[in-house]
Amino acid sequence: MAALMVDTGVTPPAEREREKRERFGWWRRLPPKAKVGALLLGFFVLIAIIGPTLAPYDPSYQNPNPSLSLNAPSAAHLLGTTQNGQDVLSQLLTGVRMTLELALFVGVVATVIAVIVGISAGFLGGMWDEVLSLLSNVFLVLPALPLLVVLLGYLPQKGETATILVLAFLGWPWGARVIRAQTLALRNRDFVAASRETGERGWHIIMFEIMPNEISLIAASFVGVVLYAIGASVALAFIGLADLNTWSLGTMLYWAQSDQALTLGAWWWFVPPGLLVALIGTGLVLLNFGIDELGNPRLRSGSGTIKVGGRWWGQTDPTPVLGHSQRRPSRVAAFLHSFSREALTERPTEVAGPLP
Amino acid sequence: MTTTAATGTELSGSKASTLGANGGGDEPILDISDFSVVYRTDRGDVRAVDGVNLALHAGEVVGLAGESGSGKSTLAYGSCRLLRPPALITGGSVVYRGRRFPSGVEVLDKRPEELNVLRWREISIVFQSAMNALNPVLSVGDQILDVVEAHMKLSKDEAVERVASLLDFVSIPRDRMKSYPFELSGGMRQRVMIAMALATEPEIVIMDEPTTALDVVVQRDILAQIVELKERLSFAVLFITHDLSLLLELADRVAVMYAGKLVEIASSEEIHHEPAHPYTKGLLNSFPSLRGPRRELAGIPGTPPDLRNLPPGCSFLPRCPYGTTACQDIDMSLAKVATSADPDHVTACPFVLPGTPVPPRGTRSNGAPDGLQPEAISAQ
Amino acid sequence: MRFIVRRLAFYAVAAWVALTINFFIPRLMPGNAVEDIMSKFPSLQPSAYKALEAMLGVGHPGSLWHQYVNYLYDVIHFNFGTDVTEYPAKVSALLAQTVPWTITLVGTATIIAFVIGTGLGILAGWRSGGWLDRVLPGLTFLQAVPYFFLALILIELLALRAKIFPLGQGYAGGDIPGWNWQFISSAVYHSLLPAFTLIITNVAGWMLTMRNVMITTTGEDYVLAAQAKGLPHKRVVLGYAARNAILPQLSGFANALGFVVSGAIVMEIVFSYPGVGLLLVNAVTSNDYPLMQAIFLVITFAVLFANLIVDVVYVLIDPRARARSA
């Protein structure tokens, strides 16, 4: 139909509708986990961007009025106040940005390192591979938090840049290992060998043959590092190893804990930041599982199953048969059935007895 | 009727004497009628097997030939209900009538526990890739032992002795019983598979392309071994392969599948020299023979059809050199070939006979003049 | 066997890297650490000053190489120097007091969490697509909750309000440490809630990964072959599917050991549990460098050792690893 149309540069409405549907079809085909994860994260990224402007009060402002200290949520302070009369909601809105910003930077730095190391090790092979692999394995096996604690412990100021660098320093090995494995597998594939034969240079092969096939792996690795960065930075802040003058979800928890928020019953101070960390983390984990499922559709819940005759049949069940009742007939029913006319003409089916 | 498990450690040819008890040919031991399997995907049902009728008799070797995707594996595994989701059996019946079940058992009705009695003990399978079908963390001896212990009541020592004698059968040294699959060569692994398949002296052995993954020399070896074992233990074989040439030597009867349907069944002699269906003819033309005059290899042009959207009438029409518009109206049911020496020779093509010459290239398809006499083929 | 030897060599390299990092960190940090320490702890003797200088590489204590060799020598002889906060207690004495607490609690809780999680994962893969899949989103959330958050809430609910468990500490204040029933029962009682929180937060992760591995493994041809062989369902799932699925799961366990330690540190802070983690954090906040370094080394070596044990177990289970020499 489209071929018959003269190209006037104007697409008729029907065509436009179809194009729109096609463009967004990819979204519908994503596994549900990825969608939920992406939406959750999108929400928090939005908050990170506009949060501080939305905040009704300056988060650091300590209201000297003693009656406003540790107030439960009210109209004026939607999430209550802290020990020092600070508005919890404002802190929350500002804190999300700080936490996400830090985690995303760590993610970018660590993933870049991981990609460089992983692809180099996988592609170059030989001595390079041995050395780089050894390096990543060593850093993988060293326990992260103690090392982070010691590194940050020695630093006089525990600023954002320092934290980012320190976290990224320990966050790249896992992704590097995974990317290296994939690069090794791809390097031996036929299409790469073909590229080589036609004289493509190494760079070209890496950029155009290998990397496009590793996008989902790199994405999953990035998400994993961000997850780790959030967990680690919040834990470090909770211990007190962060810049306590800035507002992040972790520092909020530190202050809440050191001012005994929970014991004093001020749940509105302690619970929201922790809950948000959990939600962001959940979004990331779901996104990661979703990306996994994109690559391996079998992992989707219900993908290895089919519903027949009212029950679900899985990989370990025999192939279901349409129309045959799969339920165990009750003895009573069988007994009554034996009196019917059909029972006379039925072909007897034998149920096997014990084996000799 | 002797039961073979009583003298569990001997693998005797005791079944040969009882062959007559089953008639050796009247009642089929596996009767597949009107069998259909679909794969249910969100883009529609893929009709992998459509209304297939096939009967296997005791002691006979039936070859199942066809391209990849023709449905031969689906047919074989489906009849044991070993297909995984999203496979669904949509119709038909599969009746097993072995010596232990003389009145017949409807496989499609059985519950999982009941199926476990039938599986392997009565119908066993030799898989295509032994490396994939063997558990990598168990020794091969343990895996055969699993089967023996699951289906036979033997003491531990007797079971182990049986496993050892099975390995003897397939010419594998006994001390290899403790070896792991990765420690054996490809040929040895395949022979372990065969030994395992025969461990409980089944009535039927399904062989799913057992030699495809092996090199030619080993292939010969394995096939010779299979023939020898079959003579000794007399079981029926359903031999699946895409290589028709193998079947011509090995099988008693050959069934050819295309796009989920059977297109021809005949004795291997007839298939070899007097094939009726155009697809079979095409398959035979696809490999050269060692002896005989050189001829041009024709092959079969085109690709197999999309099983979700089959064309009306004959599925083979798009690739058939004899095809005409009349082919769009037939229903691909099997009809006897009157001119054949084999009385059970059936074909799905009502227009083409064994001797019919191929029309010259370029004259086929819509509206081309028929050089064919549909009346020459007598229907059932 | 050769596999184990190669792994040992690897862990030796990793240990050496850890030692070297430990050696260089104080020397690379800005500021004069020694001055800071001396001003904070006026009770220190001048000899401590010299020792600190030597440890931190400040002043002119000899060539870098010389210092390095001395340092390695000290470590091998478990001489971690004298502590700063509890001067003149020896660091190694402090470590000896706290390490057993951490190992028993964290070690047991981790193993329990792994066993339960893996077991549940096997169940989830038993008949795939079952009820467990519906629980997945909830489990994912549970896995993402920061450990201390959950722990503090549980303390609030179960210890403060319901008074079922004690508030924290390793044992009741009045008890005397020793092999007496009073002490041991008190210690066990105090470990219940921390262990419980550790197990809850970790189980979900193990279950999710095991489920995924089981699904992939159940799809393999040899499991189909096992079903075709008419083997009982239990044998197929345990002997064929789970037996293979446990291998990558075990590898994952080895990789996660480092994070187990992280969880331990946070746990000890929240519960004021007298273990190595609490000691480390206290050392950091009071800039007690000798202690900090020593704890880092001890924790690292413990993790490496645990990794080695997992490697040995892996080799025992996987015949291919036993044969692998390259």
Side-chain angles (χ1 to χ4, degrees):
Chain A
M1 184 61 179
L4 294 175
M5 288 187 174
V6 177
D7 183 10
T8 57
V10 177
T11 37
E15 271 285 299
R16 259 185 276 138
E17 261 310 308
R18 195 167 58 86
E19 275 174 20
K20 207 168 16 150
R21 244 181 295 132
E22 270 171 11
R23 234 182 303 144
F24 292 112
W26 65 268
W27 171 259
R28 225 169 291 137
R29 274 190 292 259
L30 284 179
K33 285 201 185 102
K35 280 193 257 193
V36 172
L39 282 173
L40 210 50
L41 275 177
F43 172 68
F44 283 111
V45 168
L46 193 65
I47 301 242
I49 298 178
I50 62 173
T53 39
L54 273 185
Y57 300 88
D58 175 2
S60 316
Y61 173 62
Q62 301 184 11
N63 198 318
N65 188 343
S67 70
L68 273 182
S69 153
L70 277 189
N71 269 9
S74 61
H77 295 272
L78 286 171
L79 276 179
T81 56
T82 71
Q83 178 88 310
N84 296 319
Q86 297 155 325
D87 180 37
V88 172
L89 181 63
S90 310
Q91 289 184 346
L92 205 63
L93 288 171
T94 334
V96 171
R97 167 188 285 196
M98 182 72 189
T99 307
L100 272 182
E101 204 179 74
L102 193 129
L104 280 170
F105 273 125
V106 173
V108 167
V109 174
T111 308
V112 165
I113 302 180
V115 166
I116 294 178
V117 171
I119 292 192
S120 312
F123 194 72
L124 295 171
M127 199 55 195
W128 278 111
D129 186 12
E130 291 293 333
V131 168
L132 288 172
S133 290
L134 188 63
L135 203 63
S136 358
N137 283 334
V138 164
F139 277 102
L140 258 182
V141 88
L142 295 179
L145 200 61
L147 187 53
L148 287 170
V149 166
V150 166
L151 281 172
L152 280 177
Y154 270 110
L155 284 173
Q157 328 100 286
K158 302 154 203 323
E160 191 182 348
T161 330
T163 316
I164 291 179
L165 288 176
V166 159
L167 283 176
F169 178 59
L170 287 183
W172 62 267
W174 177 79
R177 233 177 51 160
V178 173
I179 293 178
R180 166 191 173 268
Q182 180 78 333
T183 310
L184 263 180
L186 281 176
R187 184 179 69 150
N188 296 328
R189 290 267 293 271
D190 292 337
F191 66 92
V192 174
S195 261
R196 275 216 174 111
E197 291 303 316
T198 58
E200 295 288 359
R201 299 216 325 259
W203 275 119
H204 193 98
I205 299 183
I206 292 181
M207 291 301 295
F208 291 103
E209 308 276 358
I210 294 193
M211 269 191 66
N213 281 302
E214 296 189 350
I215 295 282
S216 83
L217 203 60
I218 297 179
S221 165
F222 175 75
V223 172
V225 175
V226 172
L227 188 60
Y228 140 81
I230 291 197
S233 68
V234 169
L236 285 171
F238 181 72
I239 298 179
L241 288 171
D243 186 356
L244 296 170
N245 292 321
T246 57
W247 291 111
S248 76
L249 296 176
T251 51
M252 272 185 80
L253 285 163
Y254 171 81
W255 288 117
Q257 170 68 352
S258 66
D259 286 342
Q260 302 292 316
L262 211 52
T263 346
L264 293 173
W267 56 269
W268 57 86
W269 189 7
F270 184 73
V271 170
L275 206 58
L276 284 195
V277 170
L279 284 173
I280 297 178
T282 311
L284 286 166
V285 170
L286 284 175
L287 193 60
N288 224 355
F289 277 149
I291 298 180
D292 272 347
E293 287 177 1
L294 256 182
N296 185 2
R298 261 195 300 198
L299 293 174
R300 296 195 199 194
S301 326
S303 80
T305 58
I306 184 174
K307 188 164 185 178
V308 177
R311 68 167 261 211
W312 286 94
W313 300 72
Q315 289 187 97
T316 47
D317 296 315
T319 315
V321 184
L322 202 59
H324 285 235
S325 159
Q326 309 297 336
R327 286 185 227 290
R328 191 186 301 257
S330 73
R331 289 186 196 250
V332 177
F335 179 67
L336 292 175
H337 178 76
S338 64
F339 288 106
S340 71
R341 184 162 300 166
E342 287 81 55
L344 284 174
T345 50
E346 254 170 26
R347 199 162 34 158
T349 52
E350 204 193 56
V351 175
L355 291 167
Chain B
M1 286 191 226
T2 58
T3 50
T4 50
T7 51
T9 54
E10 308 159 23
L11 283 157
S12 56
S14 58
K15 278 167 48 178
S17 58
T18 58
L19 201 59
N22 212 2
D26 41 297
E27 287 270 33
I29 52 172
L30 191 66
D31 196 355
I32 303 175
S33 0
D34 201 26
F35 192 59
S36 302
V37 178
V38 304
Y39 288 100
R40 188 148 281 185
T41 70
D42 12 277
R43 297 191 195 193
D45 280 355
V46 176
R47 296 170 49 198
V49 174
D50 196 358
V52 165
N53 294 289
L54 187 63
L56 188 65
H57 297 91
E60 96 175 310
V61 178
V62 170
L64 194 52
E67 297 169 314
S68 323
S70 57
K72 40 192 209 301
S73 294
T74 309
L75 173 63
Y77 288 101
S79 59
C80 304
R81 297 180 62 189
L82 275 172
L83 296 171
R84 289 201 159 142
L88 175 63
I89 299 175
T90 50
S93 96
V94 175
V95 178
Y96 171 74
R97 200 176 267 112
R99 282 169 317 121
R100 295 182 201 98
F101 300 92
S103 45
V105 168
E106 171 59 72
V107 175
L108 302 187
D109 275 340
K110 295 276 154 257
R111 293 192 304 278
E113 324 75 79
E114 298 167 324
L115 276 176
N116 275 352
V117 168
L118 286 177
R119 285 180 179 164
W120 218 258
R121 181 69 157 137
E122 310 292 330
I123 307 176
S124 70
I125 305 183
V126 175
F127 293 89
Q128 177 173 351
S129 165
M131 193 64 226
N132 292 342
L134 290 171
N135 188 342
V137 297
L138 287 181
S139 71
V140 296
D142 279 338
Q143 297 188 48
I144 307 182
L145 204 61
D146 265 344
V147 169
V148 171
E149 285 178 341
H151 295 287
M152 304 176 112
K153 278 205 167 45
L154 296 174
S155 74
K156 187 65 183 255
D157 292 327
E158 289 175 324
V160 172
E161 178 54 37
R162 185 175 180 89
V163 171
S165 51
L166 277 163
L167 289 178
D168 289 340
F169 250 50
V170 292
S171 328
I172 292 184
R174 280 194 175 201
D175 59 8
R176 293 303 227 154
M177 224 168 48
K178 297 261 193 315
S179 304
Y180 291 93
F182 69 90
E183 293 173 323
L184 302 174
S185 71
M188 280 179 108
R189 283 196 288 263
Q190 201 63 0
R191 278 184 276 153
V192 164
M193 295 284 303
I194 296 173
M196 196 152 56
L198 301 175
T200 51
E201 296 190 21
E203 299 274 348
I204 303 175
V205 179
I206 299 177
M207 300 205 176
D208 186 5
E209 312 222 33
T211 55
T212 308
L214 304 168
D215 66 69
V216 200
V217 177
V218 181
Q219 259 190 37
R220 269 343 246 172
D221 239 352
I222 301 283
L223 287 174
Q225 190 109 73
I226 291 177
V227 170
E228 188 206 323
L229 287 167
K230 185 203 158 261
E231 295 306 311
R232 251 162 110 176
L233 299 175
S234 60
F235 44 84
V237 176
L238 183 62
F239 197 106
I240 306 172
T241 179
H242 59 267
D243 187 355
L244 194 50
S245 60
L246 276 181
L247 295 177
L248 300 179
E249 292 185 43
L250 208 56
D252 300 320
R253 282 193 301 144
V254 175
V256 181
M257 272 188 89
Y258 185 79
K261 299 195 184 71
L262 280 176
V263 296
E264 185 168 2
I265 310 179
S267 68
S268 47
E269 268 294 302
E270 283 298 307
I271 291 273
H272 193 179
H273 300 293
E274 306 282 339
H277 198 276
Y279 180 56
T280 319
K281 294 191 200 225
L283 280 182
L284 285 168
N285 278 334
S286 304
F287 56 87
S289 61
L290 274 180
R291 307 180 206 106
R294 289 165 64 163
R295 58 192 166 92
E296 202 178 320
L297 280 182
I300 308 175
T303 53
D306 178 4
L307 294 173
R308 280 180 299 225
N309 283 314
L310 288 166
C314 177
S315 319
F316 188 58
L317 176 59
R319 304 165 75 185
C320 182
Y322 301 85
T324 67
T325 41
C327 299
Q328 288 167 342
D329 300 323
I330 69 162
D331 69 351
M332 287 186 87
S333 54
L334 295 169
K336 285 214 190 221
V337 176
T339 57
S340 175
D342 173 8
D344 296 315
H345 188 160
V346 291
T347 174
C349 179
F351 303 127
V352 175
L353 284 177
T356 317
V358 185
R361 292 220 187 112
T363 60
R364 91 153 208 82
S365 86
N366 335 3
D370 296 9
L372 311 169
Q373 279 78 47
E375 304 83 49
I377 300 185
S378 64
Q380 159 76 325
Chain C
M1 197 52 208
R2 246 189 282 184
F3 181 66
I4 300 286
V5 171
R6 293 190 97 243
R7 293 306 288 167
L8 262 175
F10 168 72
Y11 291 127
V13 170
W16 171 78
V17 169
L19 282 172
T20 314
I21 291 183
N22 212 11
F23 177 75
F24 277 107
I25 293 180
R27 284 161 178 74
L28 294 174
M29 289 301 166
N32 190 339
V34 185
E35 292 290 345
D36 292 335
I37 298 183
M38 293 312 290
S39 57
K40 266 201 209 167
F41 302 99
S43 62
L44 291 179
Q45 304 282 352
S47 52
Y49 194 81
K50 272 226 128 22
L52 268 175
E53 276 196 325
M55 189 193 82
L56 299 175
V58 175
H60 302 281
S63 75
L64 203 62
W65 177 250
H66 197 65
Q67 297 172 42
Y68 189 53
V69 171
N70 284 339
Y71 166 71
L72 288 178
Y73 182 80
D74 281 339
V75 169
I76 293 178
H77 287 83
F78 291 110
N79 177 11
F80 293 118
T82 44
D83 188 32
V84 163
T85 32
E86 307 226 359
Y87 189 83
K90 291 187 74 65
V91 168
S92 33
L94 285 169
L95 283 174
Q97 272 180 322
T98 52
V99 165
W101 287 98
T102 305
I103 291 192
T104 25
L105 177 56
V106 174
T108 323
T110 308
I111 294 182
I112 294 180
F114 181 70
V115 167
I116 296 182
T118 303
L120 286 175
I122 294 181
L123 274 178
W126 185 277
R127 294 200 192 272
S128 48
W131 55 274
L132 235 57
D133 275 0
R134 260 167 261 150
V135 189
L136 274 177
L139 284 178
T140 318
F141 182 73
L142 200 61
Q143 197 197 8
V145 174
Y147 168 80
F148 58 84
F149 186 74
L150 188 69
L152 283 167
I153 292 186
L154 282 177
I155 292 182
E156 177 64 24
L157 294 175
L158 296 175
L160 268 176
R161 305 230 180 135
K163 300 219 187 304
I164 303 178
F165 293 104
L167 263 178
Q169 309 291 331
Y171 50 90
D175 298 336
I176 306 160
W179 289 104
N180 55 70
W181 174 246
Q182 167 89 340
F183 174 68
I184 294 184
S185 62
S186 166
V188 169
Y189 180 53
H190 278 81
S191 68
L192 288 178
L193 192 56
F196 181 62
T197 49
L198 275 177
I199 293 177
I200 289 193
T201 41
N202 284 328
V203 162
W206 294 127
M207 186 188 142
L208 285 169
T209 44
M210 189 61 178
R211 169 214 175 242
N212 282 353
V213 181
M214 276 296 280
I215 289 183
T216 318
T217 311
T218 320
E220 296 278 345
D221 282 344
Y222 53 82
V223 175
L224 182 68
Q227 289 172 271
K229 292 199 269 189
L231 301 180
H233 191 70
K234 194 168 101 164
R235 176 83 180 138
V236 174
V237 173
L238 292 181
Y240 284 70
R243 187 83 194 280
N244 280 278
I246 198 90
L247 294 172
Q249 178 80 339
L250 213 58
S251 294
F253 181 67
N255 285 338
L257 281 173
F259 292 99
V260 163
V261 167
S262 316
I265 294 180
V266 179
M267 180 274 289
E268 289 177 10
I269 295 172
V270 168
F271 286 95
S272 303
Y273 200 75
V276 166
L278 187 60
L279 199 62
L280 177 64
V281 173
N282 287 339
V284 169
T285 37
S286 52
N287 282 338
D288 186 348
Y289 295 132
L291 189 55
M292 253 167 71
Q293 292 200 294
I295 296 180
F296 170 67
L297 282 183
V298 165
I299 292 182
T300 306
F301 291 158
V303 169
L304 292 180
F305 184 67
N307 266 291
L308 184 65
I309 297 196
V310 174
D311 282 336
V312 171
V313 172
Y314 193 96
V315 165
L316 289 175
I317 297 185
D318 185 7
R320 291 165 292 185
R322 264 179 259 156
R324 213 176 294 143
S325 54

